[in-house]
Amino acid sequence: TQLLEQSPQFLSIQEGENLTVYCNSSSVFSSLQWYRQEPGEGPVLLVTVVTGGEVKKLKRLTFQFGDARKDSSLHITAAQPGDTGLYLCAGARQAGTALIFGKGTTLSVSS
Amino acid sequence: DAGVIQSPRHEVTEMGQEVTLRCKPISGHDYLFWYRQTMMRGLELLIYFNNNVPIDDSGMPEDRFSAKMPNASFSTLKIQPSEPRDSAVYFCASSVGKGNYGYTFGSGTRLTVV
């Protein structure tokens, strides 16, 4: 059983469309992080959310942490081909413990 | 900083052979993590160290896997003997301090056991 469930698993869209990917759990996390991974490379940190209900924006990307700190979402506005990649959410059950990763959402944006 | 450096980038070995993967974390980072990534299981934590001391090795699959961190700038993950089911991409990551700090990952080692 995966502790962090991500959906959808795959997403293929056209340039300019909006999308949302989800990261859900039945467990509470002290923080959640989002990473983006390109083929042949390691994941790269996008954002960390710590407070329940927190919303962070990174250009066209909006991240939200659920009020109960059990879920998170990533919304991309006007997707571009450069957004293509594997988006991973990761959570720490307690501060200082190792991150647990979801399996990720593979996003493909075509022009 | 050059980031987290892993070697080799690719390794092809025969079943039963010993494999050693290497990692140099970012200077000043006191946590080091080894993860394994497969299509089926995603990123799985194998072991992590804090100040060169192993903290949690519950993710190590079996006794064939071992990891060491002899100093703050070097860690190894060894598989002996290797099996085809060990084929995966192995990532090393490091982070600074406790709390909710992000991890910096290396580029990974793609291991194929034939």
Side-chain angles (χ1 to χ4, degrees):
Chain A
T1 302
Q2 199 76 11
L3 197 59
L4 281 168
E5 298 284 347
Q6 290 191 243
S7 62
Q9 188 176 357
F10 299 98
L11 192 54
S12 182
I13 62 173
Q14 294 288 317
E15 182 176 4
E17 292 184 32
N18 301 332
L19 67 116
T20 302
V21 298
Y22 301 92
C23 175
N24 295 298
S25 176
S26 58
S27 301
V28 175
F29 288 87
S30 69
S31 67
L32 273 178
Q33 300 178 358
W34 285 89
Y35 291 77
R36 178 168 163 265
Q37 184 179 17
E38 297 191 31
E41 297 297 328
V44 176
L45 177 69
L46 295 173
V47 77
T48 301
V49 285
V50 178
T51 306
E54 182 177 4
V55 177
K56 281 192 175 179
K57 291 193 174 185
L58 186 66
K59 297 183 180 178
R60 294 176 295 101
L61 278 59
T62 302
F63 304 86
Q64 186 164 7
F65 200 11
D67 291 341
R69 306 208 322 274
K70 293 183 178 180
D71 55 85
S72 182
S73 64
L74 159 60
H75 181 80
I76 301 178
T77 303
Q80 300 177 358
D83 295 327
T84 293
L86 176 65
Y87 288 82
L88 295 158
C89 70
R93 297 291 300 274
Q94 298 175 0
T97 59
L99 289 176
I100 300 166
F101 282 82
K103 285 190 177 180
T105 294
T106 299
L107 172 65
S108 175
V109 182
S110 53
S111 56
Chain B
D1 201 319
V4 176
I5 300 173
Q6 291 187 245
S7 64
R9 284 298 307 270
H10 303 275
E11 177 80 41
V12 180
T13 190
E14 291 186 346
M15 181 173 63
Q17 296 297 308
E18 177 180 297
V19 176
T20 299
L21 312 181
R22 297 172 175 79
C23 175
K24 176 179 169 57
I26 291 176
S27 176
H29 283 193
D30 54 355
Y31 282 83
L32 183 139
F33 308 85
W34 284 100
Y35 284 84
R36 176 171 69 176
Q37 187 175 39
T38 61
M39 289 289 290
M40 287 292 293
R41 302 174 68 87
L43 266 169
E44 299 176 285
L45 176 69
L46 298 176
I47 185 171
Y48 77 96
F49 296 82
N50 177 219
N51 291 322
N52 313 336
V53 176
I55 302 301
D56 183 356
D57 66 352
S58 60
M60 296 286 260
E62 49 199 87
D63 292 345
R64 296 185 298 106
F65 285 68
S66 62
K68 294 182 179 179
M69 192 165 185
N71 57 62
S73 59
F74 185 65
S75 177
T76 59
L77 178 67
K78 186 176 294 187
I79 307 172
Q80 165 65 14
S82 58
E83 296 183 3
R85 59 191 167 124
D86 301 331
S87 296
V89 182
Y90 291 79
F91 286 102
C92 174
S94 67
S95 72
V96 57
K98 278 191 173 183
N100 303 310
Y101 299 95
Y103 294 0
T104 302
F105 282 80
S107 296
T109 295
R110 179 173 293 277
L111 173 65
T112 303
V113 183
V114 298

